[in-house]
Amino acid sequence: MNKGKVTLVSAGPGDLDLLTFRAAKAIAAADVLLIDDLVDDEIVTLKAPHARVIRVGKRGGCKSTPQAFIQRLMRRYALQGRHVVRVKGGEALLFGRAGEEIAELAQAGIAVDIVNGISSGFAAAAGLGVSLTHRDHCQGVIFVTAHLRDGTEPDWGALAATGMTLAIYMGASRIDSISGALRHTLAPDTPAAVVQWAGTAREKRVCATLGDIAARAAQAQIASPAVILIGNAIGESVANEAARSEPVRRMRA
């Protein structure tokens, strides 16, 4: 039997209107769909009638499907000659564990295609109306996870010292400790924002400063999935006090 293949599809931050045409075509051509928890449920409407759908949720703070089990499923179905489409929220190559999956499949001689998508960090910036790399404020942006594989945290002081915009993923549950660590290097009035469900109809965002972002996020009941944005470029989003003081929900057009 000929081997099948695996396509890693980046589904964007949520809503189907942020899915690329290439992603939609891959989903429609799938024999097996492995769908992440943060992907819009309506994505199954794009699948071929014969496709098998398997939900393999992975979400911080919730019960998750083990990564090793997901990789075994991908390998098993591909070796059966199936076209396996692994649908990931956001951008597959950014904190999506794509590297582990690619390595596993390469060892089995299984072909892998990658379809890029919109990461929640960019969707959060769009909702705030800011450029993460505004040249009046910074020379770049750093995308960083709030915790390493062994459970430790990054060197927040070193990251803060770069002067770059920080886009912090998977940090909603520890925003207090993160902001506290960053304040050892950055001023308390450094602009900050946290955006939950970025780019979706459920989007909720809070603009504040590094000194009070944790309290404001707690008051607004911001939780995972959320992206924390820190840096002077984020100050462009706080032009008026109303946006600073009250969370804003985006309505689907």
Side-chain angles (χ1 to χ4, degrees):
M1 178 182 293
N2 293 329
K3 292 178 183 177
K5 69 174 184 178
V6 172
T7 302
L8 303 182
V9 167
S10 308
D15 286 354
L16 290 187
D17 55 5
L18 293 179
L19 197 70
T20 65
F21 285 119
R22 187 179 174 196
K25 289 178 181 178
I27 291 166
D31 296 312
V32 179
L33 283 175
L34 303 180
I35 300 181
D36 269 357
D37 187 48
L38 297 180
V39 173
D40 191 324
D41 288 338
E42 294 181 12
I43 208 163
V44 297
T45 64
L46 305 177
K47 72 178 181 66
H50 67 272
R52 179 175 182 180
V53 178
I54 304 174
R55 300 189 181 276
V56 287
K58 297 190 73 61
R59 184 172 167 188
C62 300
K63 185 177 180 180
S64 298
T65 305
Q67 181 65 27
F69 177 74
I70 295 172
Q71 291 171 198
R72 287 198 300 271
L73 285 178
M74 297 166 69
R75 177 172 175 156
R76 177 196 308 164
Y77 286 116
L79 289 176
Q80 292 174 0
R82 312 278 189 91
H83 179 197
V84 180
V85 175
R86 169 85 161 99
V87 186
K88 299 170 175 284
E91 162 57 51
L93 303 182
L94 188 64
F95 306 125
R97 302 191 182 182
E100 299 165 45
E101 295 171 356
I102 293 168
E104 170 95 4
L105 296 167
Q107 288 180 351
I110 297 168
V112 180
D113 291 332
I114 299 171
V115 179
N116 298 116
I118 299 172
S119 175
S120 58
F122 292 110
L128 292 168
V130 301
S131 168
L132 296 176
T133 57
H134 194 306
R135 63 180 184 174
D136 289 343
H137 301 296
C138 63
Q139 293 181 313
V141 56
I142 296 175
F143 297 94
V144 60
T145 176
H147 54 87
L148 306 179
R149 188 169 187 174
D150 62 3
T152 61
E153 295 194 10
D155 186 338
W156 295 115
L159 292 171
T162 65
M164 307 287 190
T165 302
L166 300 181
I168 304 169
Y169 289 63
M170 295 169 279
S173 65
R174 55 182 75 187
I175 188 170
D176 192 27
S177 65
I178 291 170
S179 59
L182 289 171
R183 286 199 302 274
H184 290 299
T185 304
L186 298 175
D189 62 354
T190 300
V194 58
V195 184
Q196 182 181 11
W197 289 110
T200 74
R202 292 180 285 177
E203 181 173 301
K204 184 165 60 172
R205 55 188 185 262
V206 170
C207 297
T209 67
L210 189 58
D212 63 5
I213 187 64
R216 301 288 280 276
Q219 182 181 24
Q221 298 183 323
I222 298 287
S224 178
V227 178
I228 305 166
L229 301 175
I230 308 288
N232 290 329
I234 308 306
E236 298 289 328
S237 68
V238 291
N240 61 73
E241 187 62 26
R244 178 187 287 269
S245 62
E246 184 174 346
V248 179
R249 297 182 184 273
R250 176 187 293 183
M251 301 302 294
R252 188 193 295 265

